[in-house]
Amino acid sequence: MSIAALVCATLFTGAAGYISLVEHPARLQLDDAPLLAQWQPSYSRALPIQSGLAIAGGVAGLAAWHMSGEWLYVLGSLVLLANWPFTLLAIMPVNNRLKAITPDQAGPESRTLLLKWGKLHNVRSGLGCAAALLFAVALASGN
């Protein structure tokens, strides 16, 4: 289970990091309408992948803790699973506002929201990175 936790956390981090470091900065170079038109389906496609990886990694980390007694697995699981409440409380209100705007209505408001979304998504990337690091340290400790 420890390998599964680490793999899920690193896959989550890779996906989130790609979005934060590559995809979102690139789309911000677009004009307002294409920017929003690109973000909307991209978000919808990423949601099940990232949410599924966070759950799978969190559950696998808890199972690894149960089997090994290594507290770093619990901590890594909590950090990875923290993406869920963070997304629901901090990011989802921004997502809902962005999804309610059609590309032909895009303008300064949608761009400002997308800039905010990017900053919030960086937190998700950081949580994934921290969880992967915690799982790697736990695994390296031999537990």
Side-chain angles (χ1 to χ4, degrees):
M1 280 303 182
S2 56
I3 297 289
L6 180 59
V7 167
C8 288
T10 54
L11 287 171
F12 176 93
T13 303
Y18 175 80
I19 291 166
S20 291
L21 297 172
V22 178
E23 182 178 305
H24 196 62
R27 80 172 135 234
L28 287 171
Q29 301 301 308
L30 299 170
D31 290 333
D32 295 337
L35 166 62
L36 183 62
Q38 195 283 333
W39 177 87
Q40 289 174 331
S42 176
Y43 171 78
S44 296
R45 292 181 70 117
L47 175 66
I49 295 168
Q50 287 194 281
S51 61
L53 287 169
I55 291 172
V59 169
L62 292 174
W65 162 71
H66 180 72
M67 293 167 43
S68 70
E70 174 59 62
W71 65 273
L72 289 173
Y73 288 117
V74 173
L75 187 56
S77 292
L78 292 174
V79 169
L80 190 57
L81 291 169
N83 278 288
W84 272 83
F86 179 76
T87 299
L88 292 173
L89 297 172
I91 300 178
M92 198 57 81
V94 176
N95 291 349
N96 291 339
R97 288 177 61 195
L98 284 166
K99 290 190 294 186
I101 302 170
T102 61
D104 62 323
Q105 298 170 321
E109 178 190 8
S110 60
R111 181 167 294 273
T112 299
L113 286 169
L114 282 160
L115 288 167
K116 180 178 182 179
W117 182 90
K119 290 176 184 173
L120 292 169
H121 193 272
N122 290 341
V123 173
R124 290 173 47 87
S125 299
L127 289 170
C129 189
L133 182 62
L134 288 164
F135 290 152
V137 170
L139 189 60
S141 74
N143 292 319

